[in-house]
Amino acid sequence: MKLYYSPLACSLADHIALEEVGLSFERERVNLKTKRTESGRDFNEITSKGYVPALILDNGETLTENIAILDWIASQYPALSVPGPLGRTRLLETLTYLSTELHRSFKSMLHANGDAERASAAATIGGHLSFLSNQFKGDFLFGSTPTVADFYLFVMLLWAEHFDLAVPSPLAMFRDLLKSRPAVQRAMRAEGLHQKEDA
Ligand SMILES: N[C@@H](CCC(=O)N[C@@H](CS)C(=O)NCC(=O)O)C(=O)O
């Protein structure tokens, strides 16, 4: 299995999930500007979508789209999924919210043209974070253990930190809790993100 990622991109959620389940997997960094992988391959040949994450399964199939990849990991490793008859649906509900609402708002922030657009994106992000901070059923979104959705949320909380956005205090505590997990630290180290955290 091989994960194509870019440092601090949304692929970090998949990276953490793979580390959490203790799988042995390969990983390769992608330069999203040049669309070249670390080994010099044209990333568009791996996925014509040209964006991360992309996960190559052991049977050679290529998975793309964060919701699908995270759902696949959770289905293979139930410790990262949500139990119960509606468990998978609740997980997809949350992953979809994270992707189509929160992640999309960060894209608006990234591409904002001027202060007014930035402020508007920040306000939208703030609304989503406030909603999410009320969804916790324990230390994590679905209870006392993390699911793949927690890792996706965590990545966007790192983005909030990067953009200097205030987050509700339960989410700041959650971000610290995730940063202390060995699997998170391994994934962040592998992406070269540890310098700031270790400083
Ligand atoms: N629909 C995709 C979007 C993934 C995405 O936005 N990836 C970003 C990094 S977080 C990326 O690779 N952007 C580079 C590009 O689109 O050229 C998904 O949900 O997985």
Side-chain angles (χ1 to χ4, degrees):
M1 193 181 311
K2 183 166 184 174
L3 176 71
Y4 286 93
Y5 74 93
S6 182
L8 201 57
C10 50
S11 46
L12 177 58
D14 313 270
H15 202 163
I16 292 170
L18 293 174
E19 283 287 354
E20 281 280 347
V21 294
L23 274 178
S24 119
F25 63 98
E26 294 176 69
R27 62 201 106 195
E28 187 162 353
R29 182 184 299 229
V30 179
N31 181 324
L32 292 174
K33 287 201 179 86
T34 61
K35 305 291 177 194
R36 286 272 152 200
T37 74
E38 213 174 335
S39 63
R41 277 191 71 187
D42 179 357
F43 184 55
N44 287 313
E45 282 174 9
I46 291 149
T47 165
S48 56
K49 289 177 173 172
Y51 52 65
V52 293
L55 184 67
I56 316 299
L57 302 183
D58 290 341
N59 66 4
E61 294 234 28
T62 301
L63 293 185
T64 59
E65 303 300 329
N66 227 342
I67 296 174
I69 297 176
L70 291 171
D71 175 58
W72 181 83
I73 296 172
S75 71
Q76 302 296 304
Y77 301 95
L80 298 183
S81 69
V82 180
L86 269 183
R88 180 164 180 230
T89 305
R90 291 294 179 208
L91 182 61
L92 287 171
E93 185 180 38
T94 301
L95 288 174
T96 305
Y97 184 79
L98 292 171
S99 175
T100 65
E101 303 299 333
L102 186 55
H103 188 164
R104 192 181 54 171
S105 307
F106 272 104
K107 283 188 178 176
S108 306
M109 183 80 178
L110 197 63
H111 301 297
N113 221 332
D115 289 347
E117 277 186 32
R118 239 184 312 279
S120 161
T124 307
I125 289 168
H128 292 316
L129 293 180
S130 155
F131 170 79
L132 286 160
S133 73
N134 289 313
Q135 301 306 304
F136 279 63
K137 297 190 173 66
D139 283 345
F140 302 97
L141 282 163
F142 289 97
S144 58
T145 58
T147 69
V148 289
D150 292 288
F151 306 139
Y152 198 3
L153 173 58
F154 170 67
V155 172
M156 286 185 276
L157 292 173
L158 292 180
W159 296 350
E161 197 166 58
H162 173 80
F163 284 115
D164 236 347
L165 297 178
V167 305
S169 62
L171 292 186
M173 283 164 58
F174 166 80
R175 184 169 56 199
D176 287 345
L177 179 67
L178 269 277
K179 279 182 186 174
S180 71
R181 290 181 77 82
V184 172
Q185 291 172 358
R186 284 197 300 277
M188 290 183 72
R189 264 206 175 76
E191 297 202 2
L193 303 171
H194 58 293
Q195 293 93 340
K196 223 173 120 191
E197 299 305 326
D198 289 352

